[in-house]
């Protein structure tokens, strides 16, 4: 228990500190940026999050699934799986940037309502750096070097927060200035990660075929699942850019600054808990792990819900001028964020391990209804309409996922022995 608390502290405290500072700085940015400009900045961050959610989550979850088990008996094989993960990310990032260069004008016009290819390319550069940074974090996580993990996290957070603070102090905040600083800070953090991890890769058989095939088989359903889930989770903001204005995107993004806080807590805890899911499932102790983690998160979610009436009453008072409409959006998004906080650490990894196609099929079946709801809600109510659809859909989806995870854990379905 003491070791688990230390590991949790090494992960949660730096991430929590960075998250708090980011929320504070984004709150300050709202007072210096018009909703349309903040909306353009939010679209850039959405592109980074999409790349991380589609590629990063799928590859990293597959590496965790394979390497966490291989490390128990075959360290070289686990290291080979990690190398393949890095190689796939490098290849995918290069391909994505090449395609974006060819279609820069068209993509920029569709996303930002004006041709700004430099903003698009900055966002993709940041996304590539974040993908590689995640591989460094994953390597330290699997090695249980949580002290080094905390050091790298503090460095990355300090650079990111310091970059935003520098823009606020010395420049007029704009989407392009913020993304330029973000690209420089990500590159610096990546150099620190390379020095910290310092992989001792073999001169021969750098990427053995056996581990490549193994990772390819594991990542197949995870890629489809995470790609679909990431696109659906960002569909609200992306469709706002098509069916509404950048001002409405800015109002929605301002609400997300605060609504995402509970969800971030769940992702931070998942860094420590998710590597334990597959071993606990094989050992027959998964239900005990789920009860301990899920019970605590459910209690926390109930406590946070008590603050909703207060936030709803005073929301218009603490939001910056021009963003008063974000208060209602915040309340609607908060329900889905609390549900995500409870699902990330155990339920989602377990579902991906035991039935990797389940979430993908769930998203696929609900996609027509979701798109139809957005199609009618966004033109009619803008950011508020998008929040009604997004918050309600996430609450229903994650509730069903939690119920299925508990049921299959009760039946004793082992992680790694996927059933179709």
């Amino acid at each position: 228990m003491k070791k688990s608390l230390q590991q949790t502290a090494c992960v949660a405290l730096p991430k929590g500190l960075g998250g708090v500072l980011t929320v504070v700085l984004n709150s300050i940015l709202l007072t210096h940026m018009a909703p349309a400009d903040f909306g353009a900045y939010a679209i850039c961050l959405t592109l980074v999050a999409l790349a991380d959610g589609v590629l990063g989550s799928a590859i990293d979850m597959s590496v965790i699934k394979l390497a966490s088990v291989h490390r128990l008996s075959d360290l070289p094989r686990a290291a080979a799986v990690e190398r393949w993960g890095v190689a796939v990310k490098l290849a995918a990032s290069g391909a994505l940037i090449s395609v974006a260069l060819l279609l820069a004008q068209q993509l920029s016009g569709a996303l930002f309502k004006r041709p700004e290819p430099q903003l698009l390319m900055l966002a993709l550069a940041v996304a590539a750096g974040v993908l590689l940074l995640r591989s460094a974090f994953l390597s330290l996580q699997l090695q249980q070097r949580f002290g080094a993990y905390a050091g790298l996290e503090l460095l990355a957070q300090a650079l990111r927060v310091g970059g935003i603070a520098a823009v606020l102090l010395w420049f007029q905040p704009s989407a392009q200035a913020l993304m330029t600083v973000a690209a420089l800070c990500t590159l610096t953090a990546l150099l620190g990660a390379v020095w910290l991890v310092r992989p001792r890769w073999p001169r021969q058989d750098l990427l053995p075929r056996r581990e490549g095939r193994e990772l390819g088989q594991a990542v197949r359903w995870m890629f489809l699942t995470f790609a679909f889930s990431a696109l659906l989770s960002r569909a609200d903001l992306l469709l706002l850019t098509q069916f509404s204005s950048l001002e409405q995107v800015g109002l929605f993004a301002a609400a997300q600054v605060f609504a995402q806080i509970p969800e971030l807590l769940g992702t931070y805890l998942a860094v420590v808990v998710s590597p334990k899911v597959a071993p606990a499932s094989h050992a027959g102790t998964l239900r005990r792990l789920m009860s301990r983690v899920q019970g605590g998160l459910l209690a926390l979610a109930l406590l946070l819900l008590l603050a909703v009436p207060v936030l709803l009453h005073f929301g218009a008072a603490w939001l910056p001028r021009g963003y008063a409409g974000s208060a209602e959006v915040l309340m609607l998004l908060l329900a889905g964020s609390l549900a995500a906080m409870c699902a990330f650490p155990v339920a989602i990894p377990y579902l991906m391990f035991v039935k990797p196609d389940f979430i993908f099929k769930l998203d696929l079946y609900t996609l027509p209804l979701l798109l139809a709801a957005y199609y009618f809600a966004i033109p009619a109510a803008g950011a508020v309409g998008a929040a009604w659809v997004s918050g309600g859909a996430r609450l229903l989806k994650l509730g069903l996922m939690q119920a299925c995870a508990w049921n299959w854990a009760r039946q004793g379905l082992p992680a790694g022995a996927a059933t179709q």
Side-chain angles (χ1 to χ4, degrees):
M1 178 63 70
K2 181 179 179 181
K3 184 178 180 180
S4 296
L5 290 174
Q6 290 174 345
Q7 293 175 351
T8 303
C10 286
V11 172
L13 291 180
K15 283 185 175 292
L17 177 62
V20 170
L21 291 175
T22 300
V23 170
V24 171
L25 289 174
N26 282 338
S27 303
I28 298 173
L29 285 175
L30 294 176
T31 66
H32 289 80
M33 301 174 70
D37 199 24
F38 191 77
Y41 177 54
I43 292 172
C44 291
L45 297 182
T46 298
L47 294 177
V48 175
L50 274 176
D52 189 29
V54 173
L55 290 173
S57 296
I59 295 171
D60 290 348
M61 188 67 73
S62 301
V63 171
I64 286 177
K65 175 183 177 180
L66 298 173
S68 62
V69 176
H70 291 333
R71 288 187 65 85
L72 299 176
S73 58
D74 193 344
L75 286 176
R77 190 175 179 185
V81 171
E82 292 184 48
R83 293 196 297 272
W84 267 107
V86 174
V88 172
K89 288 183 179 182
L90 284 171
S93 297
L96 184 62
I97 291 174
S98 299
V99 172
L101 283 171
L102 294 175
L103 303 174
Q105 295 288 340
Q106 297 91 322
L107 291 173
S108 298
L111 291 169
F112 305 110
K113 307 295 185 181
R114 53 188 184 271
E116 291 191 9
Q118 66 275 17
L119 196 55
L120 173 64
M121 301 314 299
L122 284 170
L124 293 180
V126 173
V130 169
L131 285 174
L132 297 176
L133 263 178
R134 276 190 57 155
S135 288
F137 282 120
L138 179 60
S139 180
L140 296 173
Q141 177 186 353
L142 289 170
Q143 297 174 43
Q144 298 192 8
R145 295 172 56 191
F146 287 98
Y149 187 109
L152 181 58
E153 182 65 45
L154 285 172
L155 173 64
Q157 296 288 4
L159 288 168
R160 184 164 60 91
V161 173
I164 297 175
V167 172
L168 285 168
L169 289 174
W170 296 313
F171 303 97
Q172 174 61 37
S174 66
Q176 186 164 340
L178 290 167
M179 293 310 297
T180 300
V181 171
L184 294 174
C185 293
T186 302
L187 175 60
T188 305
L190 187 57
L191 293 175
V194 171
W195 177 85
L196 184 61
V197 176
R198 293 196 299 276
R200 295 179 176 84
W201 289 355
R203 295 183 178 180
Q204 296 180 344
D205 208 16
L206 183 63
L207 296 172
R209 293 183 180 180
R210 181 181 64 169
E211 283 71 24
R213 288 193 299 269
E214 189 179 31
L215 182 63
Q217 293 172 355
V219 82
R220 180 182 56 183
W221 278 112
M222 291 197 183
F223 174 76
L224 291 173
T225 299
F226 280 108
F228 222 78
S229 295
L231 288 171
L232 285 182
S233 67
R234 307 290 171 176
D236 41 25
L237 194 141
L238 291 175
L239 292 175
L240 269 174
T241 67
Q242 303 302 311
F243 300 142
S244 190
S245 63
L246 279 179
E247 286 78 7
Q248 290 296 309
V249 175
L251 294 178
F252 191 90
Q256 282 185 322
V257 169
F258 307 101
Q260 69 179 340
I261 295 175
E263 185 173 344
L264 288 176
L265 294 176
T267 60
Y268 298 160
L269 184 59
V271 175
V272 173
V273 177
S274 59
K276 302 178 181 179
V277 172
S281 177
H282 285 285
T285 59
L286 180 62
R287 290 186 65 191
R288 184 170 61 189
L289 177 66
M290 292 182 70
S291 298
R292 185 166 67 246
V293 175
Q294 302 291 90
L297 289 174
L298 180 60
L300 178 59
L302 294 175
L303 288 176
L304 291 175
L305 278 176
L306 297 178
V308 169
V310 178
L311 289 173
L312 184 60
H313 182 71
F314 295 105
W318 51 262
L319 284 167
R321 181 177 298 179
Y323 290 90
S326 297
E328 186 176 356
V329 178
L330 170 60
M331 298 305 106
L332 295 171
L333 294 178
L334 192 59
S337 181
L338 289 171
M341 177 188 73
C342 296
F344 270 125
V346 179
I348 291 178
Y350 176 63
L351 288 175
M352 292 304 304
F353 293 160
V354 71
K355 291 196 176 184
D357 60 341
F358 172 76
I359 300 177
F360 171 73
K361 291 180 178 178
L362 178 62
D363 287 336
L364 184 63
Y365 296 152
T366 57
L367 176 62
L369 293 175
L370 191 62
L371 291 180
Y374 279 128
Y375 180 78
F376 289 104
I378 292 176
V384 173
W388 269 107
V389 177
S390 179
R394 292 193 79 194
L395 189 62
L396 292 174
K397 171 188 169 182
L398 290 166
L400 178 61
M401 288 166 59
Q402 287 274 21
C404 290
W406 275 100
N407 182 49
W408 291 330
R410 180 181 58 81
Q411 294 176 18
L413 295 183
T419 58
Q420 303 297 325

